[in-house]
Amino acid sequence: MVFDHIANWPQYFSGPVWQLAFEYLEGLGPDAAEGYTQLRGDDVFARVMTYGTKAPEDAVLEAHRVYIDIQMALANAEGVDWFPPDGLKVDTAYDAENDRALYHRPSHAPAHVDLHARNFGVFFPNDAHMPQLKEGGQPNSVRKVVVKVR
């Protein structure tokens, strides 16, 4: 997992695919239209969404095999818990069509970040993650974008 402010992305990534993804993210504001955007076919695409944050018992712990997630809050904030997938108890076996496996959440997360507007998190296939969590213990509505990179 990588977590930082959007202005710092070049410290971590280089190459045309990363540049495409992060320049797209840099161009988004809190009023970005919701929906799906193809950036480079099925290799790089994005979805802007708005939803209410949840308690950990109501959120989903997932991991991917094909795509890397770049998640960035656009308005308000959410918490994200991180887990190494080894040793997690599978809740729903890997679904290749949706590129995700779901897991039971252990009682303690090894890492937690609060994803505030203009901060990003990059979750690689070895990063099980649980987004949509209440930030600061309070539920709110968060606008967020997820870029998927093959």
Side-chain angles (χ1 to χ4, degrees):
M1 174 180 70
V2 175
F3 175 76
D4 205 339
H5 188 271
I6 189 68
N8 298 325
W9 76 263
Q11 295 177 22
Y12 306 99
F13 306 102
S14 64
V17 170
W18 293 106
Q19 184 171 354
L20 173 69
F22 280 100
E23 285 179 355
Y24 169 78
L25 290 170
E26 288 175 320
L28 296 177
D31 58 349
E34 291 190 24
Y36 174 84
T37 302
Q38 277 191 318
L39 300 172
R40 185 176 285 170
D42 291 336
D43 290 333
V44 185
F45 58 91
R47 177 157 294 145
V48 174
M49 61 199 96
T50 302
Y51 51 78
T53 57
K54 306 173 181 181
E57 58 271 14
D58 298 321
V60 174
L61 175 58
E62 65 181 3
H64 311 290
R65 291 186 186 169
V66 176
Y67 289 97
I68 297 165
D69 275 6
I70 307 171
Q71 301 187 14
M72 185 175 82
L74 299 172
N76 296 327
E78 72 175 355
V80 182
D81 281 350
W82 173 89
F83 301 83
D86 294 341
L88 291 176
K89 183 179 175 190
V90 175
D91 183 42
T92 303
Y94 179 74
D95 174 2
E97 184 176 331
N98 293 307
D99 184 39
R100 73 179 196 170
L102 304 180
Y103 299 92
H104 292 281
R105 183 188 190 280
S107 60
H108 175 72
H112 174 90
V113 295
D114 288 328
L115 199 60
H116 291 271
R118 309 302 292 167
N119 286 336
F120 71 90
V122 177
F123 301 94
F124 296 92
N126 61 338
D127 294 320
H129 52 284
M130 178 181 276
Q132 300 185 352
L133 297 175
K134 295 187 280 187
E135 185 265 334
Q138 299 299 316
N140 70 331
S141 178
V142 65
R143 176 153 301 188
K144 173 181 167 181
V145 59
V146 177
V147 175
K148 298 281 198 174
V149 178
R150 186 185 309 265

